[in-house]
Amino acid sequence: MTMEHLLELDKKHFIHPTSSIQQQQEKGAKIIVEKGEGIYLTDKNGSVYMDVMSSLWNVNVGHGREELAEAAAEQMKKLAFSSAFSTFSHEPAIKLAEKIASLAPKGLNAVFFTSGGSESNDTAFKLVRHYWRIQDQPNRRKIISLKRGYHGVAAASTSATGIPEFWNMAGQMMTDFHHADTPYENGTDKAIVSLRQLIEAEGPETIAAFIAEPVQGAGGVLIPPSDFFKEVRNVCDEYGILLIADEVITGFGRTGKMFGVENWGVTPDLMSFAKGVTSGYVPLGGVIVSNHIHDVLKEKSKGTLFHGYTYSGHPTAAAVALKNLEIIEKEELVENSRKMGEELLKGFQKLKEEIDIVGNVRTIGLLGAVELVQDPKTNKRFSPDYQVAAKVIEALHQRGVICRAVTYEGTDIICFSPPLIINPSQIDSLLERLKGAIKEVKEGLTTV
């Protein structure tokens, strides 16, 4: 098909997720991607882009891995799909559950599979409520999360998300979800005070679980203070509340550890995962639960567990995930994430020294962010009228870089999450293009 034909069909038939419908109708698709290889995407016009968001934080092993296509084809020829309902099982899901348990923090050993991150967090919420109900504590239903957190767009995961725009899209949220202050702006002490106050106000006997991302991704790559999760673990233990780590973005090497919580030596009671488990090649997610929770479910659940998705434990998805995890381990991509993240941080810090609108910069593994501010000394933010983040993203696009901006309460943040295979020369190329994009936007601001 010609580009013109594809653009018209896109406008007519394709409702894009998390996109401006009006913009789509006026300007058409931003790009139409044709193929991917390594850290690069090529569009229908032949233009090549560095994909430094790993698409949606998820293409950990890079684009175009034939091994994953071959794993999918081999499994499809043998058994493309078979239900896991009613205790039916198959080898790929069994082997994947065992593999994920072997990678997870000690004590987390049982896996419930889903199709993606939103389903994983919804599943975690249902499991913890069921856990309390079968122990004669049905009032423990409330879920506490953090402001600026992102946990998905299904009904319950939207409610746990701490970004108001996601609540406003379809009206009223579900009940029994509450949001504590983040430590990123307030520090650990104030954040823990906020969490305690919320628990006491709602009643500890009504709280089922606390959920947080080890690093808040969509909120702007917000890395917590080093003591935050240890304090959260202590508070949860004190009040008998379960701790859920949302590892959808941070899992499988993204932060320089296999799982994000390992950076702070904390073991949660449940971990939700998705994205990097297959590097996005096929949809797959899940929840890992602790031995204690699994034991309670085995001992006290009566009859059927009425929760499950058609594609829970999908054989082809499981086969791809196994091969993907094999690649991550064989190519030592967790360690590469750590090393390249350090190089990326050095580059960001140099930009901060050279360009006076660059404010806070940060990385943890290959998750990173650059903040843009009018005055770094006072952290004075740009007026929203300037649309600084959006302009930098467009300037990067013109330089062949696909990136993502977050603007939150006046803070302009450019986020980075490149594939874990990225190498030093590609880091240098990215930094050079970023420098040019920020300088271009800065020069344009002087004329506004």
Side-chain angles (χ1 to χ4, degrees):
M1 289 186 181
T2 65
M3 275 290 294
E4 291 75 16
H5 191 193
L6 284 170
L7 288 168
E8 286 305 313
L9 291 177
D10 185 88
K11 289 181 181 180
K12 186 175 182 180
H13 298 294
F14 189 2
I15 301 174
H16 288 252
T18 316
S19 300
S20 167
I21 295 176
Q22 184 180 28
Q23 181 178 339
Q24 178 198 4
Q25 293 305 307
E26 291 176 354
K27 299 181 180 180
K30 180 83 172 179
I31 65 172
I32 297 179
V33 178
E34 179 77 4
K35 63 180 180 179
E37 183 176 356
I39 72 164
Y40 300 100
L41 293 173
T42 303
D43 71 10
K44 288 286 289 185
N45 291 323
S47 298
V48 179
Y49 299 87
M50 299 180 77
D51 177 14
V52 297
M53 279 305 299
S54 296
S55 193
L56 280 175
W57 323 83
N58 61 338
V59 189
N60 287 13
V61 301
H63 299 281
R65 301 298 296 245
E66 292 185 3
E67 310 99 301
L68 299 184
E70 290 166 357
E74 182 180 346
Q75 182 60 44
M76 285 182 177
K77 291 174 185 176
K78 185 177 181 180
L79 177 67
F81 175 72
S82 178
S83 168
F85 283 29
S86 303
T87 74
F88 278 53
S89 200
H90 49 77
E91 187 173 343
I94 295 170
K95 291 173 68 175
L96 180 60
E98 186 278 332
K99 181 61 179 178
I100 290 173
S102 74
L103 297 174
K106 186 177 180 180
L108 281 79
N109 279 312
V111 181
F112 186 103
F113 288 114
T114 71
S115 304
S118 295
E119 287 185 359
S120 296
N121 285 325
D122 271 39
T123 295
F125 302 146
K126 292 180 77 172
L127 286 175
V128 299
R129 286 172 170 176
H130 179 65
Y131 166 88
W132 290 117
R133 185 184 63 80
I134 60 178
Q135 296 184 93
D136 299 321
Q137 297 186 62
N139 291 331
R140 280 192 180 260
R141 291 182 46 81
K142 295 175 183 177
I143 306 295
I144 297 177
S145 57
L146 293 176
K147 296 172 184 176
R148 294 184 72 167
Y150 179 83
H151 302 290
V153 293
S157 53
T158 296
S159 303
T161 289
I163 302 172
E165 288 80 359
F166 287 96
W167 310 334
N168 300 336
M169 179 259 175
Q172 185 65 39
M173 294 188 301
M174 294 179 67
T175 59
D176 292 331
F177 287 84
H178 305 273
H179 302 86
D181 292 338
T182 75
Y184 313 100
E185 296 157 338
N186 306 304
T188 294
D189 290 346
K190 290 183 179 179
I192 294 299
V193 167
S194 171
L195 177 59
R196 283 185 177 279
Q197 288 176 340
L198 187 51
I199 292 170
E200 292 290 347
E202 295 299 323
E205 71 283 357
T206 71
I207 311 297
F210 172 84
I211 184 171
E213 304 158 272
V215 179
Q216 289 187 316
V221 186
L222 305 176
I223 303 169
S226 60
D227 59 345
F228 176 68
F229 274 100
K230 289 183 179 179
E231 290 300 317
V232 165
R233 179 74 270 182
N234 291 338
V235 170
C236 287
D237 290 344
E238 178 183 341
Y239 289 103
I241 294 168
L242 297 176
L243 173 59
I244 306 170
D246 180 346
E247 293 273 2
V248 171
I249 287 176
T250 53
F252 307 104
R254 176 55 58 190
T255 66
K257 299 282 188 180
M258 185 58 72
F259 292 98
V261 289
E262 294 178 299
N263 286 282
W264 298 285
V266 170
T267 301
D269 300 293
L270 305 91
M271 294 198 311
S272 55
F273 66 88
K275 294 189 184 293
V277 69
T278 64
S279 289
Y281 278 66
V282 287
L284 179 69
V287 180
I288 319 169
V289 303
S290 68
N291 290 332
H292 171 70
I293 291 175
H294 194 210
D295 288 343
V296 170
L297 295 178
K298 289 185 292 185
E299 293 169 9
K300 299 200 173 187
S301 287
K302 304 297 181 183
T304 300
L305 179 69
F306 280 98
H307 179 67
Y309 303 100
T310 299
Y311 300 120
S312 291
H314 193 291
T316 302
V320 171
L322 283 164
K323 178 57 69 173
N324 177 69
L325 296 176
E326 179 185 310
I327 291 170
I328 288 174
E329 290 188 302
K330 182 179 179 181
E331 298 184 6
E332 299 181 339
L333 295 184
V334 178
E335 177 64 9
N336 195 62
S337 174
R338 184 189 67 78
K339 289 180 178 178
M340 292 301 98
E342 291 175 354
E343 293 303 309
L344 192 60
L345 181 59
K346 290 177 185 176
F348 288 168
Q349 290 170 336
K350 188 174 180 181
L351 287 177
K352 181 178 173 66
E353 294 172 0
E354 295 176 346
I355 308 174
D356 61 9
I357 67 168
V358 175
N360 292 329
V361 298
R362 51 190 174 271
T363 66
I364 180 168
L366 283 171
L367 269 179
V370 171
E371 294 189 6
L372 303 170
V373 291
Q374 192 165 345
D375 185 350
K377 294 180 181 179
T378 63
N379 204 35
K380 181 181 179 182
R381 299 167 180 175
F382 284 106
S383 164
D385 296 338
Y386 284 89
Q387 296 186 321
V388 174
K391 288 176 180 176
V392 170
I393 292 299
E394 182 56 32
L396 282 168
H397 185 82
Q398 297 304 317
R399 288 166 169 77
V401 177
I402 295 173
C403 203
R404 180 169 179 171
V406 172
T407 300
Y408 189 88
E409 295 183 351
T411 303
D412 291 287
I413 306 171
I414 311 300
C415 302
F416 300 84
S417 179
L420 308 188
I421 61 169
I422 197 168
N423 62 42
S425 65
Q426 292 166 338
I427 292 281
D428 290 342
S429 178
L430 166 60
L431 291 167
E432 189 63 29
R433 299 185 205 195
L434 177 60
K435 179 178 178 180
I438 296 175
K439 280 190 169 183
E440 177 187 315
V441 171
K442 177 180 180 292
E443 291 168 3
L445 293 174
T446 62
T447 63
V448 176

